[in-house]
Amino acid sequence: MVNLRRIKYTYEHSHKSKHEVCQARINLEIEIDCLISQMVSVIDCLLVQISNKLGLSIPLHQISIDRVVSELYSKTKKIDLLTELNMAREHGRWYWSVIELRNRSLVEPFDVDTHNPELISLLEEYFNHVTTLVENIKGKEPLD
């Protein structure tokens, strides 16, 4: 997050050449895309850890929230383990928004000029949600 804020500051306060401003913008867009991808990857990794630790035997290429929830329900008594994540991915909730940002960035350039001016703060909030979610799940079921 610190790197993202630094690049955003450089981009917004750059009074340099057009090339340097363009480069700062590209760097900012890359950092945003990376952070979004990392948040999604953390959740994917958590799902793999849950599958492995609880012996769900889900092949890696079939790991998804729905599949892990289904297997938790049918094979264990830990059906509430992913309740918080399920709620977070409901339409309009924070994880749903992360997925929407990721999907949007896959099909169109992430234009930092036209998106929410508080995007960095929003991403920081989502990152904090991911951190809290992982801590809460690992608190219910140690996965290490």
Side-chain angles (χ1 to χ4, degrees):
M1 290 304 306
V2 172
N3 196 31
L4 187 59
R5 287 189 181 280
R6 182 184 48 77
I7 293 170
K8 181 179 187 265
Y9 180 84
T10 301
Y11 171 68
E12 290 176 340
H13 296 91
S14 181
H15 301 291
K16 302 185 182 203
S17 72
K18 187 175 181 178
H19 174 74
E20 290 172 318
V21 170
C22 182
Q23 189 61 48
R25 179 184 173 149
I26 290 168
N27 290 342
L28 180 58
E29 290 178 17
I30 289 170
E31 283 296 319
I32 290 170
D33 283 339
C34 286
L35 180 60
I36 292 168
S37 293
Q38 288 173 350
M39 286 189 280
V40 172
S41 294
V42 164
I43 299 301
D44 289 343
C45 183
L46 181 67
L47 295 173
V48 169
Q49 288 179 354
I50 289 169
S51 176
N52 291 342
K53 176 72 176 188
L54 299 178
L56 302 180
S57 303
I58 303 171
L60 281 178
H61 69 280
Q62 293 180 2
I63 291 286
S64 70
I65 296 169
D66 291 329
R67 178 71 189 271
V68 173
V69 167
S70 175
E71 295 295 325
L72 283 171
Y73 183 76
S74 68
K75 294 181 179 177
T76 74
K77 296 188 184 293
K78 300 181 182 300
I79 58 175
D80 66 332
L81 191 59
L82 293 178
T83 301
E84 187 179 352
L85 179 56
N86 258 336
M87 290 175 28
R89 71 182 181 134
E90 290 175 1
H91 185 81
R93 298 286 195 107
W94 70 265
Y95 191 65
W96 177 88
S97 297
V98 169
I99 297 298
E100 285 297 303
L101 284 170
R102 194 255 339 246
N103 291 345
R104 190 177 336 145
S105 74
L106 293 174
V107 296
E108 62 187 45
F110 199 79
D111 187 351
V112 295
D113 291 328
T114 60
H115 284 284
N116 182 345
E118 297 301 319
L119 181 61
I120 305 303
S121 296
L122 189 63
L123 288 172
E124 187 170 39
E125 178 184 329
Y126 294 161
F127 182 81
N128 290 335
H129 282 301
V130 169
T131 302
T132 301
L133 176 79
V134 169
E135 289 171 356
N136 289 347
I137 290 173
K138 286 189 172 193
K140 293 177 187 176
E141 181 65 40
L143 301 172
D144 299 283

